[in-house]
Structures are given as structure tokens and as C-alpha cells.
Amino acid sequence: MTDTASPYAAQAHARAMAGTQVEAMPILPASAVSELPHGVSSADMVWAETIAPGGYGAKRLNRGARLQLTDLAGDACASMLIFNAERPIERLNVADTLKVQWNAYLGAGKLVLSDMGRVMFSVLEDGAGTHDAFCGASNQATNAAKYGTGDNWGPHPNARDRFSLGVAKFGLARRDIHPCLNWFKGMKVEDDGSLLPQHGPFAPGRSLILRAEMDVIVVLANCPHVLDARSDYTVTPLRVSAWRGPVTPADDPLRTATPEGLRAFLNVEAEYSR
């Protein structure tokens, strides 16, 4: 048994743990990560973290940064909030993200829009194809009904409460938690309006890469999808990697693909032309 009965023993134990790595943890500095994304220099890494089942992560990313999410074991659910880092009153708008692009399903080539008509992220690559922009996040009541408990500190934490911890790191509160995107867990709408879940489990290692089109705050929760029908609390680790990258050029094919998308990029560029 570890002796931590005195401050000196506790200090010695804590210092002896230096350098210990576990499956789910942030790597500090991010450049020390052992497995770099393909073609990325360690000097450009700004975020390297594995989010545990039921865990959360949060980070500010600069414009041009690339964000890679990886479903390590095939059962992660990356619920995401996004805020304008300079003015967090501007945030992800799921409804506008779908209706402005005339498409209900996110994937490579799609944009993620704010409530002020600006593009926050572009989806550069998508190796999953199962994402959800309809259902939002689980909460304490939904988890308690399904698993018996759902509070933030019990064995079945919910995404909304995990979000509350993430946003607090940036001076935000529960009232700032908006409808989220769920990456890796899909939902299709049938012709009769019913929902067809795509919840897996899937093959391990699926990933997607997003490009930040403005300075953003990203908050992630890795909890079971709110409509996951399984009675067990089933979710697996989520790998998060981010690195510096160039700002989107004027001739970028995602920028010019549609008139609606171009307008969203122009709205961003007008903001940064001050």
C-alpha cells in the first residue's frame, strides 16, 4: 500500500509518478507525442490527448490549425461544442450548418458554421462516414433512466455535464452549452421520418481531420450517444491531435465549392481584415 499519510510521503509518491503514462491523458508538451500524424512535424503539434470513456477535453486552437479525431477502438462518440475564441457569444449553429449547405449529413468537404454565418471548421478528411447533427447530447436524466445513474462524478457521466466542466475552463457556463455535433455515431432519417441509428461498434482507427477557419475554442465529451440503445454504458477512448497549419487560401476548393460556402468564408475574412 502506498504511504501518503504525511505530506512528505505524499510528495515523494507524487514525484515518483513523474513520467508515468496511462491510456487516457494529455501529452505535455504536445510535441512529445510518440506517434505523430502523417507528415506533421513535432514542432507543429499543439494538442495531443486521449480522452477516456466518459471523459472530456477542451482547447483553444488558432485559425489554420488541423484537428484530428480518431476512434481508437471503434466505439467512441465525440460530442463537440465550438466557440469563437475571441468572442464566445458566437458559436456553432447546427441548424445553419445543415440548411445553408442543403445537406443533413456531415463528411469530407462539408463546413461547420457559426450562428453569425461564418465557417468555423472545414472537414478535410473523413474516414468514418457516420456522424450525427440531429440528436444533441445526453444529460443526467437520460443517463439515469438508461444506466441507473447519470451524474458527473458517478460511473455513467453524461455529455452535457462533461461539457459544463470543459466550458468552465474558458469562463463560460451551462447557459453557453449549445446543441452539439456527434462525430463517429451516425443518425439517418428514413423516408417516413424515423431515425436509423448508426452506432456500431465499428472498425477501430477511423478518423477525421478538421481545419479551423477562425480562432476557436473546442470542447469535446466522449460519452455514449443519447440514443444508443445498449443497456451497458459503452464507449471507448478518443484520440485528439491538433497541429499548426496555414490559413485557407483564396483558391481552396472547399472555399469555392458553393456560393453559400464562399459567403461563409468571406464573412470570416471580413472579420480578420480589421
Side-chain angles (χ1 to χ4, degrees):
M1 182 181 230
T2 302
D3 178 15
T4 56
S6 72
Y8 296 109
Q11 180 191 65
H13 171 66
R15 289 183 174 176
M17 301 298 290
T20 300
Q21 292 195 17
V22 296
E23 180 181 41
M25 63 179 291
I27 302 298
L28 299 174
S31 59
V33 66
S34 59
E35 297 181 21
L36 289 167
H38 179 70
V40 177
S41 164
S42 61
D44 287 328
M45 291 294 297
V46 296
W47 191 8
E49 180 172 358
T50 299
I51 300 176
Y56 74 98
K59 183 74 174 178
R60 175 179 171 144
L61 297 175
N62 289 339
R63 187 182 182 203
R66 272 58 169 173
L67 173 64
Q68 182 176 47
L69 304 178
T70 303
D71 180 5
L72 290 177
D75 230 335
C77 180
S79 300
M80 176 187 279
L81 304 180
I82 314 168
F83 301 86
N84 179 335
E86 295 298 323
R87 191 172 54 252
I89 192 66
E90 181 179 7
R91 55 203 56 181
L92 164 68
N93 187 303
V94 175
D96 284 356
T97 292
L98 300 185
K99 70 184 182 183
V100 169
Q101 297 180 92
W102 307 96
N103 192 301
Y105 305 107
L106 295 177
K110 299 302 180 185
L111 310 177
V112 177
L113 303 182
S114 79
D115 54 8
M116 295 188 183
R118 288 187 272 263
V119 56
M120 307 188 87
F121 274 109
S122 302
V123 184
L124 298 184
E125 300 178 20
D126 178 20
T130 52
H131 310 299
D132 165 40
F134 299 116
C135 297
S138 60
N139 57 50
Q140 183 171 353
T142 60
N143 276 24
K146 189 183 302 183
Y147 310 117
T149 61
D151 63 279
N152 222 345
W153 311 115
H156 310 112
N158 67 84
R160 184 172 176 82
D161 280 350
R162 285 318 201 197
F163 282 153
S164 71
L165 301 178
V167 301
K169 296 178 182 296
F170 301 93
L172 304 172
R174 280 186 175 273
R175 67 183 181 183
D176 298 300
I177 298 173
H178 50 272
C180 67
L181 297 173
N182 296 308
W183 303 105
F184 301 122
K185 298 296 185 183
M187 191 64 68
K188 292 286 188 179
V189 180
E190 299 283 62
D191 290 342
D192 63 1
S194 61
L195 295 176
L196 176 64
Q198 298 173 304
H199 290 164
F202 301 100
R206 302 183 311 151
S207 69
L208 66 149
I209 298 178
L210 310 174
R211 177 178 59 200
E213 305 296 354
M214 62 169 63
D215 295 346
V216 293
I217 295 167
V218 177
V219 182
L220 294 165
N222 185 27
C223 300
H225 189 277
V226 64
L227 294 186
D228 193 323
R230 291 173 287 186
S231 58
D232 293 334
Y233 189 88
T234 306
V235 63
T236 54
L238 171 71
R239 175 73 52 78
V240 184
S241 306
W243 57 93
R244 299 179 185 90
V247 172
T248 303
D251 61 350
D252 184 84
L254 269 65
R255 181 182 181 274
T256 58
T258 68
E260 297 88 355
L262 177 58
R263 179 58 180 262
F265 273 97
L266 291 172
N267 287 340
V268 171
E269 290 153 14
E271 180 70 7
Y272 280 91
S273 66
R274 294 171 292 168

